[in-house]
Amino acid sequence: MARVWGGGMRNRLAILPVGAAPETRLLLAARGLRAIGDGFVSLLLPVYLLELGHGPFETGVIATATLAGSALLTLLVGLYAHRASGRSLLIGAALLMMLTGIAFATYEDFWPLLLVAFVGTLNPSSGDVSLFLPLEQAQLARWVSDRNRTRLFARYSFIGSIMAAVGALGAALPEAAAELLGTELKPALQGAFLLYAALGGLALLLYCRLPRAAETTDPDEAPAKPLGRSRSIVLTLAALFSLDAFAGGLVVQSLLALWLFERFGLSLATAGAIFFWTGVLSALSYFAAAWIAERIGLINTMVFTHLPANLCLALVPFAPSLPLAITLLLMRSALSQMDVPTRTSYVMAVVAPEERPAAASVTSVPRSLAAAASPMLAGALLAASGFGWPLVFAGGLKIAYDLLLLALFRNVRPPEETPKY
């Protein structure tokens, strides 16, 4: 594999790192399709709810329901992933994504929407917090070597982030279509949710192409098991990730967009452009994360890129103008997501291979539960004050997470960082 900043840049940006199984292309493509849907839905959700007559608090409640429901589904996956086929579970999740989009385009009252949000796959954040995540991560980890694992997860995260950015840019289309056709905005927004369902259908077709033998690619590989010898380290990581996720739930993209709409009076087109560029910067940072991790280690990369990003987040509400607020958000985006591929790679590295599906779910479930608890609080804070207190609290809590992670895990090294004698 060529180095990042040398003449081998083209290899570095290739879809697959050296040694990765070709089946990973299907999962990376499905990740990109889902991310497009997540990108535009996360921006259109608050606009759609406001169009239906619901306020900031109701938006926060629905965001909480989506994350809580995702946590429950992910928990069920964690309990039964060692018994069921990962391919079958991914197919079922894609079907659920299709039904979610159709239901959101159909219902308008708050309680039906809340129920659909809880049982469906809607994602109010810019990152992937759905039940797809642990299923895909466990499969990817089995199809790549330790040396190339972080690079593969960087590509996985890159594709998700760049396609979510494209989706965010596309969030302006319903408003533009309504103006062009001289119609109300609501039907155009409902059409966007039907597009979300169609993207789920395309992901379904890709999952159906996964080989049934994917779960047993290596005949010598131990079958998947629930957590055993890795339990202690996984539970500790899960607790720390929960703190980070609770803070992240205060600034999920739907609520951050809502704050920008109300604070600066942004249009959908302007908001879409802002989140497009934040997504692009996040996407590019994943490759930098893999390069940095090879030199200073996974934990150091997670912590020392996250700290300045969180400081920028806490300062955003104090920005006196929109350009300064955007600058801080862009600076944050260039750094804040470097911990995503490194965190995933670290979890997959420090647990036994046969426990990876369970570890992926156990670290994802508390994150989803913690993230689900905070959007409703953020919605209440935004309803009470337009200052942006959720951003300040989120930045402070995330800084605390960074320092605790460094203190507890700086000496727990993955195999590729362990000296060989």
Side-chain angles (χ1 to χ4, degrees):
M1 174 61 69
R3 290 196 177 273
V4 179
W5 309 121
M9 174 64 84
R10 182 173 59 184
N11 290 338
R12 189 69 171 183
L13 295 176
I15 293 297
L16 296 181
V18 174
E23 290 87 354
T24 57
R25 293 180 187 274
L26 296 172
L27 292 181
L28 295 178
R31 175 72 182 97
L33 289 170
R34 294 191 297 102
I36 293 173
D38 289 342
F40 66 73
V41 162
S42 64
L43 290 183
L44 294 179
L45 179 62
V47 177
Y48 183 54
L49 293 175
L50 290 173
E51 188 73 14
L52 296 178
H54 308 303
F57 179 72
E58 288 81 2
T59 302
V61 171
I62 286 181
T64 288
T66 62
L67 296 173
S70 293
L72 178 60
L73 288 172
T74 306
L75 175 61
L76 294 175
V77 167
L79 292 175
Y80 296 105
H82 62 285
R83 302 179 185 177
S85 159
R87 175 180 178 272
S88 299
L89 291 170
L90 284 168
I91 290 173
L95 286 170
L96 185 59
M97 179 177 175
M98 294 174 62
L99 294 174
T100 301
I102 294 171
F104 248 82
T106 303
Y107 297 111
E108 299 183 10
D109 293 334
F110 175 75
W111 291 108
L113 290 175
L114 184 65
L115 178 61
V116 173
F118 181 75
V119 302
T121 62
L122 212 62
N123 180 9
S125 72
S126 57
D128 196 345
V129 294
S130 66
L131 76 161
F132 291 96
L133 192 64
L135 293 171
E136 291 179 344
Q137 286 176 354
Q139 293 301 316
L140 290 171
R142 305 176 79 166
W143 291 336
V144 71
S145 65
D146 285 341
R147 181 178 180 181
N148 292 302
R149 187 186 57 253
T150 303
R151 294 174 182 175
L152 177 58
F153 281 120
R155 282 156 178 76
Y156 177 79
S157 300
F158 169 81
I159 290 172
S161 188
I162 199 71
M163 298 312 289
V166 171
L169 198 61
L173 293 178
E175 189 175 60
E179 291 179 358
L180 181 65
L181 299 175
T183 62
E184 294 184 354
L185 181 58
K186 184 173 71 174
L189 294 172
Q190 290 169 329
F193 284 100
L194 292 177
L195 176 58
Y196 175 84
L199 291 170
L202 293 176
L204 171 65
L205 295 178
L206 291 173
Y207 293 139
C208 287
R209 294 181 59 192
L210 289 172
R212 294 181 183 276
E215 284 72 29
T216 55
T217 301
D218 184 353
D220 298 323
E221 183 180 308
K225 296 179 180 178
L227 287 179
R229 54 183 170 140
S230 308
R231 177 182 297 273
S232 177
I233 192 169
V234 169
L235 293 181
T236 304
L237 285 169
L240 288 174
F241 294 166
S242 297
L243 175 61
D244 180 50
F246 178 84
L250 293 171
V251 287
V252 293
Q253 187 156 292
S254 292
L255 293 175
L256 181 56
L258 179 62
W259 179 73
L260 289 171
F261 291 145
E262 295 192 341
R263 175 75 177 268
F264 298 106
L266 296 187
S267 66
L268 265 175
T270 303
I274 292 172
F275 286 107
F276 170 76
W277 287 111
T278 59
V280 168
L281 289 174
S282 295
L284 294 176
S285 74
Y286 295 133
F287 293 109
W291 183 82
I292 295 170
E294 290 174 357
R295 286 152 180 79
I296 68 173
L298 292 171
I299 290 293
N300 286 335
T301 303
M302 292 163 65
V303 171
F304 293 112
T305 60
H306 219 219
L307 281 170
N310 295 329
L311 181 60
C312 288
L313 176 62
L315 291 175
V316 170
F318 297 95
S321 64
L322 178 60
L324 183 55
I326 293 174
T327 300
L328 289 170
L329 288 174
L330 292 175
M331 291 173 61
R332 178 208 177 210
S333 296
L335 296 170
S336 66
Q337 297 302 301
M338 287 191 192
D339 74 319
V340 174
T342 47
R343 179 180 64 222
T344 303
S345 180
Y346 186 78
V347 172
M348 295 295 104
V350 297
V351 303
E354 66 273 16
E355 297 177 15
R356 282 172 175 168
S361 289
V362 170
T363 52
S364 295
V365 169
R367 280 181 58 83
S368 297
L369 287 173
S374 44
M376 184 166 61
L377 172 61
L381 289 171
L382 291 176
S385 170
F387 173 71
W389 286 111
L391 285 74
V392 177
F393 296 150
L397 289 172
K398 282 177 170 287
I399 289 172
Y401 153 76
D402 292 330
L403 298 178
L404 286 170
L405 181 66
L406 181 64
L408 293 175
F409 285 95
R410 58 184 174 183
N411 294 322
V412 182
R413 299 180 179 178
E416 64 270 25
E417 295 177 22
T418 304
K420 296 178 175 60
Y421 301 100

